[in-house]
Amino acid sequence: PNMPPSGWHDEGAYVFYQICGWVAFVAWSLSFYPQVILNFRRKTVDGFSLDFLALNITKHCSYGIYNYLIYFDPTVKRQLRQVSSDDSSPVALNDLVFSAHAVLLTLITAAQCVYYPKGKGQKFTPLAQMVTVLALVWVLLNLILAATNTTSFLHTPNWLWFCYAMNGLQMFMSCCKYTPQVYMNWKRQSTVGWSIHNILLDITGGLLSVVQMGIQSVDHRDPSIFSTNFGKLGLGLLTIAYDLIFIVQHYCVYTDRRDPALKRASAKLSDDVDEERTSLIANVTA
């Protein structure tokens, strides 16, 4: 029989762990596309929170820093072994691919928000600007602490602490980022302009991510996997909680889904097609 990879006791558990991780990766990765497609179809970002976008970009950048340092940096890997009895990495390959893809798609969405018209009063609010600036200050402060090796009072090795700080930041941003969109939906009494398909894929990824960590913890007989990778656990649980709020808003509270912007965009597209067809026929018969 095939031996399970190093650090794993059961090959079946390892296979199930990998399947859950990659399905979660696919679901989360696909979850970025419905909003991009909806913005493109509507030719506007009305109904989509710019605060959510800015905080989401900050969140995925910090999460990416954590993932790539934990997975690749030899100093961080050595320091992680000092505090954990588990030799395997708490970051899987699909986490790396997801982070890079997430940053790319959020930047594409940002470009749409610059290019397409916005709704009345839709802006990047001062409160969200302040949170973003404070996040950057947090990154700089912890980078200085790590670079000067002054984290002994925190009882954590310096660069591992920096990773934990980035992990904590992405958890905090996960708490913050969804709130503006929940508030915007409530204020507008509508979820029009906010893609529910994004949410359904998002909650699938969140559930599978938590299951994946549970499989690893049980197989390794090491509950410290949850504490050493609390960012991934927090991400999954927060995703589930907020996505349930969005699902309730969309399907139970704000059920009027008429979208004038989408109707106008579809009508304009139809007119453009008719005009192109008329011009083509005229050129052929001329």
Side-chain angles (χ1 to χ4, degrees):
N2 294 328
M3 295 296 293
S6 175
W8 286 82
H9 299 91
D10 184 80
E11 184 182 7
Y14 175 74
V15 171
F16 191 32
Y17 167 86
Q18 290 292 336
I19 290 173
C20 287
W22 281 106
V23 173
F25 157 71
V26 171
W28 265 334
S29 297
L30 291 177
S31 73
F32 292 94
Y33 289 93
Q35 189 65 53
V36 172
I37 294 171
L38 183 62
N39 293 343
F40 174 76
R41 290 181 62 203
R42 299 175 75 237
K43 307 302 182 195
T44 178
V45 293
D46 185 22
F48 178 68
S49 172
L50 302 184
D51 290 353
F52 166 81
L53 173 66
L55 300 180
N56 202 28
I57 291 174
T58 307
K59 171 257 185 314
H60 284 299
C61 287
S62 59
Y63 190 48
I65 292 171
Y66 165 81
N67 282 330
Y68 277 83
L69 285 178
I70 288 286
Y71 197 86
F72 288 112
D73 190 270
T75 301
V76 173
K77 292 166 78 172
R78 187 187 71 253
Q79 293 178 352
L80 183 61
R81 286 194 296 270
Q82 295 173 8
V83 300
S84 174
S85 59
D86 184 17
D87 289 335
S88 64
S89 173
V91 174
L93 177 61
N94 53 275
D95 295 319
L96 301 180
V97 181
F98 169 77
S99 288
H101 179 264
V103 172
L104 175 63
L105 265 293
T106 50
L107 290 176
I108 290 174
T109 308
Q112 287 185 317
C113 290
V114 172
Y115 180 75
Y116 289 133
K118 303 169 185 62
K120 183 178 180 181
Q122 187 178 9
K123 61 182 180 179
F124 184 27
T125 65
L127 179 59
Q129 293 177 31
M130 182 182 69
V131 171
T132 303
V133 170
L134 288 176
L136 296 177
V137 171
W138 173 258
V139 173
L140 181 60
L141 174 63
N142 284 281
L143 185 61
I144 293 172
L145 287 175
T148 56
N149 198 18
T150 52
T151 60
S152 57
F153 70 99
L154 299 167
H155 307 291
T156 306
N158 59 332
W159 289 110
L160 183 60
W161 168 258
F162 179 71
C163 290
Y164 286 169
M166 295 303 96
N167 222 345
L169 176 60
Q170 72 89 10
M171 277 188 65
F172 177 75
M173 284 298 168
S174 291
C175 292
C176 295
K177 73 170 188 175
Y178 289 110
T179 305
Q181 189 65 56
V182 171
Y183 174 75
M184 175 178 263
N185 292 346
W186 171 79
K187 187 175 181 180
R188 297 172 67 242
Q189 297 290 290
S190 172
T191 57
V192 172
W194 171 249
S195 174
I196 191 61
H197 299 100
N198 158 27
I199 299 307
L200 297 177
L201 289 165
D202 203 36
I203 197 170
T204 300
L207 287 168
L208 289 174
S209 178
V210 174
V211 169
Q212 188 187 32
M213 290 190 67
I215 294 169
Q216 186 180 16
S217 180
V218 170
D219 180 86
H220 292 29
R221 301 171 180 86
D222 182 12
S224 71
I225 288 173
F226 287 100
S227 59
T228 56
N229 200 12
F230 65 88
K232 185 176 179 180
L233 175 63
L235 173 65
L237 295 178
L238 281 169
T239 294
I240 294 167
Y242 272 101
D243 286 345
L244 288 174
I245 294 174
F246 287 124
I247 288 171
V248 170
Q249 282 187 324
H250 184 80
Y251 289 109
C252 302
V253 183
Y254 311 128
T255 55
D256 185 359
R257 302 185 190 106
R258 289 173 295 180
D259 189 349
L262 184 59
K263 187 176 180 180
R264 287 194 301 269
S266 298
K268 184 177 185 305
L269 178 61
S270 179
D271 291 342
D272 290 343
V273 170
D274 289 341
E275 184 178 340
E276 184 69 23
R277 184 186 299 115
T278 301
S279 175
L280 182 61
I281 292 173
N283 290 335
V284 170
T285 57

